[in-house]
Amino acid sequence: MLAGLKGFLYRRAPEPYNMTSPRGPRPAPRRVYAMKKEIHPGYHVINVVMTDGTKFQTRSTWGKAGDTLSLDIDPKSHPAWTGGNQALVDRAGRVSKFKQKFGFLNK
């Protein structure tokens, strides 16, 4: 079973069969961390500058702590989010056939 504790995933060590002994109760089982130590990139705070000049801070593995990431495309300027200049390419008259067949739904 995986559970989170302050951002870390850990797996509980299996519980012993006999929780009581003549010397008293046993200590709680130790936690075995699911992630290996010292093989993952550093996770630190960076500054992000969007295309309109707004700035915010986020945590990332990109660069070094305090570096600035300047975005060329972001949700405020990308056509996928803004609905930009989309043109339908009519290949073999398929778009015109569709509009002719289902154009009444757009009215």
Side-chain angles (χ1 to χ4, degrees):
M1 171 187 265
L2 294 176
L5 175 68
K6 295 183 183 177
F8 292 103
L9 290 177
Y10 63 87
R11 193 174 307 141
R12 282 190 184 252
E15 295 185 20
Y17 294 110
N18 185 3
M19 290 300 290
T20 60
S21 70
R23 290 180 269 155
R26 293 186 181 170
R30 65 182 181 87
R31 291 186 176 141
V32 180
Y33 287 95
M35 292 176 53
K36 293 182 180 178
K37 295 181 181 180
E38 313 224 357
I39 65 167
H40 300 286
Y43 194 60
H44 46 267
V45 176
I46 63 167
N47 301 312
V48 179
V49 179
M50 296 178 74
T51 55
D52 64 350
T54 58
K55 300 176 185 178
F56 65 93
Q57 287 188 333
T58 187
R59 293 178 53 88
S60 174
T61 58
W62 181 85
K64 298 175 186 161
D67 281 355
T68 301
L69 175 64
S70 298
L71 299 178
D72 296 331
I73 297 175
D74 61 18
K76 293 181 181 177
S77 66
H78 195 279
W81 286 281
T82 61
N85 301 333
Q86 296 176 350
L88 294 173
V89 178
D90 193 1
R91 293 194 177 114
R94 290 182 190 149
V95 174
S96 58
K97 286 180 186 177
F98 180 84
K99 285 184 178 179
Q100 194 175 26
K101 188 174 184 179
F102 297 105
F104 69 92
L105 295 173
N106 197 19
K107 293 179 183 180

